[in-house]
Amino acid sequence: MIKPPPLRNDCFALPAGTHWTPVDEALATLRDRLAPITGIENLPLDQALGRVLAADVTALRSNPPLPNSAVDGYGFAGPIPEGAQVLPLIEGRAAAGIPFEGVVPAGSAIRVLTGAALPSGVDTVILEEDVTCDAIQVAFHGPLKKGANARRAGEDVQSGDSVFSKGRVVTPADLALAAATGLSELPVREQLRVGVLSTGDELIEVGQEAGKGQIYDANRPMLLGLLRQMGFAAVDLGQVKDNRDALEARLNSSASKVDVILTSGGASAGDEDHVSALLTEKGAIQHWRIALKPGRPLALGMWQGTPVFGLPGNPVAALVCTLIFARPAMGLMAGAGWAAPQGFLVPANFEKRKKPGRREYLRARIRNDQVEVFASEGSGRISGLSWAEGLVEISDDAAHIQPGDRVRFIPYSSFAM
């Protein structure tokens, strides 16, 4: 006669005798086995924002290209000794974009404006507020160091200097630096194409009328939006019912269209969990019992050479698993390298007890210089994702966190979210 298992109060308790893969072990497997897979193209600056640089980039022009004035004032050859000074003014002026073509004799001065290339014979500028002048001379007090209020040619960047490193994601500031150093285009990686597929008989599309037992597909719009925000090319692979043949057909048709597939639902070991079953039977699966809360039913596998992240069907767990596992892996495949999320320690305003053996992530936000967590840890509470501004990470060890203890807070922005 069979006997029922012992009653467990914790539905996330790790089964005795079962190997649950630690989070760091699963991450190391991804980091070691994946590599950049996207092609390379040259794009003009106005199309390069958010793309991953495919090679190191060097400046074609110095910035600034010529010595220039940092202020409106009067230029001459320095240094100037201490005491009252009177210098004759020569006719003309130097303005930004309108250089003075002549030579300023030693002991003479010329009117210069901010950004103007310094004329020959000028290496020092005095602010106009510090002088008195008439049409023929300028008077001021020294001392003044040689080079005062002047920018040296190339003091920011020299022609031939490295300005960007391979793997960098191009920012608006990078576009400014590229333009200033004479670059009109950048070598970048093609966008990583990431497909999103939802599974489950209970799912219907937003806008349809929900029948008894049906729920709206929350994962697909969330994941597609997240991928676009992260700079990937998001591909909607639609929904598929809990049917193994239908799922296999959809995976087959999708593998050639995208570089990575994210599925949600069907990643556990139930009768209708066809994602993990198919990956085991006809693909390749590396891990699917991750010592993680939320999100332990996570499949990490391959289908026809395409990486598949079999995410939990629960939206909270799906998002956490995407951020922790899929985000750094996809960054690596996109050519940006492996980027671990950056967190910082913040005093807690909550109490939490945790057993050893798994990593936990709590939806959290910072208020009044302390981190607070969402009222419920339940993975069904989708509102907590919107309420939160990041995650509190609790290590694999046992823990008893009390108010005032410092905990690691990872803002959503650390995941490019």
Side-chain angles (χ1 to χ4, degrees):
M1 177 182 294
I2 62 172
K3 296 181 179 180
L7 179 64
R8 296 184 182 275
N9 293 324
D10 184 0
C11 67
F12 289 96
L14 305 183
T18 301
H19 174 64
W20 288 85
T21 303
V23 170
D24 289 340
E25 183 180 325
L27 289 173
T29 298
L30 293 172
R31 186 172 58 247
D32 294 343
R33 298 186 184 183
L34 295 174
I37 60 174
T38 49
I40 297 173
E41 58 184 343
N42 288 315
L43 288 182
L45 297 188
D46 63 356
Q47 298 177 32
L49 182 65
R51 300 294 282 272
V52 178
L53 290 174
D56 295 342
V57 177
T58 57
L60 298 180
R61 190 184 197 217
S62 296
N63 183 49
L66 296 170
N68 67 85
S69 178
V71 298
D72 289 342
Y74 297 86
F76 39 78
I80 297 297
E82 187 173 359
Q85 309 292 328
V86 179
L87 300 180
L89 274 174
I90 70 169
E91 186 177 350
R93 71 171 192 172
I98 310 175
F100 179 78
E101 300 295 348
V103 177
V104 179
S108 296
I110 188 173
R111 174 69 166 158
V112 295
L113 302 181
T114 302
L118 296 181
S120 178
V122 173
D123 56 26
T124 304
V125 180
I126 188 167
L127 280 74
E128 63 179 24
E129 294 88 349
D130 293 336
V131 308
T132 56
C133 66
D134 55 25
I136 60 173
Q137 60 187 0
V138 59
F140 58 91
H141 281 88
L144 202 62
K145 295 188 296 184
K146 180 178 181 178
N149 301 311
R151 305 184 184 105
R152 301 184 310 277
E155 71 175 19
D156 181 25
V157 179
Q158 294 277 356
S159 177
D161 282 354
S162 175
V163 286
F164 305 122
S165 297
K166 175 182 178 180
R168 180 179 178 86
V169 178
V170 179
T171 69
D174 295 339
L175 299 179
L177 180 56
T181 55
L183 298 162
S184 61
E185 61 180 23
L186 294 172
V188 298
R189 290 275 184 178
E190 295 176 349
Q191 281 186 298
L192 189 76
R193 300 166 301 167
V194 185
V196 178
L197 174 64
S198 293
T199 69
D201 289 338
E202 74 280 15
L203 298 179
I204 60 170
E205 297 283 4
V206 173
Q208 295 179 344
E209 185 174 349
K212 186 176 182 179
Q214 292 183 314
I215 60 173
Y216 291 112
D217 184 358
N219 284 345
R220 225 163 80 249
M222 174 182 70
L223 295 174
L224 289 168
L226 180 61
L227 292 169
R228 295 187 190 102
Q229 197 173 52
M230 290 175 171
F232 305 122
V235 180
D236 189 350
L237 300 179
Q239 296 176 355
V240 65
K241 299 298 183 181
D242 286 323
N243 179 285
R244 190 167 303 194
D245 292 337
L247 176 59
E248 182 176 357
R250 188 69 59 87
L251 290 174
N252 287 339
S253 65
S254 301
S256 60
K257 298 177 182 176
V258 297
D259 303 307
V260 183
I261 297 174
L262 302 183
T263 68
S264 62
S268 191
D271 292 344
E272 301 297 334
D273 288 319
H274 299 302
V275 172
S276 55
L278 272 176
L279 287 172
T280 300
E281 294 173 9
K282 298 187 177 183
I285 190 167
Q286 301 299 336
H287 301 290
W288 65 278
R289 293 186 183 91
I290 308 295
L292 173 72
K293 176 186 176 181
R296 66 178 187 173
L298 173 67
L300 307 173
M302 301 287 289
W303 187 268
Q304 297 180 2
T306 300
V308 177
F309 291 83
L311 304 171
N314 201 297
V316 174
L319 180 66
V320 169
C321 288
T322 300
L323 296 180
I324 301 303
F325 294 101
R327 173 67 182 94
M330 292 187 297
L332 180 60
M333 288 183 281
W338 184 274
Q342 299 300 303
F344 49 92
L345 298 178
V346 183
N349 80 339
F350 63 91
E351 183 174 8
K352 160 78 175 175
R353 291 181 183 271
K354 173 190 164 298
K355 299 176 182 178
R358 69 181 174 205
R359 184 82 48 89
E360 294 193 15
Y361 292 92
L362 309 178
R363 286 152 282 174
R365 65 185 186 185
I366 293 178
R367 292 292 184 273
N368 300 318
D369 299 322
Q370 292 185 317
V371 63
E372 59 185 29
V373 297
F374 190 58
S376 170
E377 294 183 24
S379 291
R381 300 285 292 273
I382 303 176
S383 62
L385 294 176
S386 182
W387 172 92
E389 296 165 356
L391 303 172
V392 163
E393 181 183 64
I394 305 177
S395 70
D396 302 14
D397 302 326
H400 180 197
I401 298 168
Q402 300 184 72
D405 290 347
R406 292 166 70 83
V407 295
R408 186 171 187 244
F409 175 75
I410 307 175
Y412 280 154
S413 58
S414 184
F415 302 102
M417 176 181 170

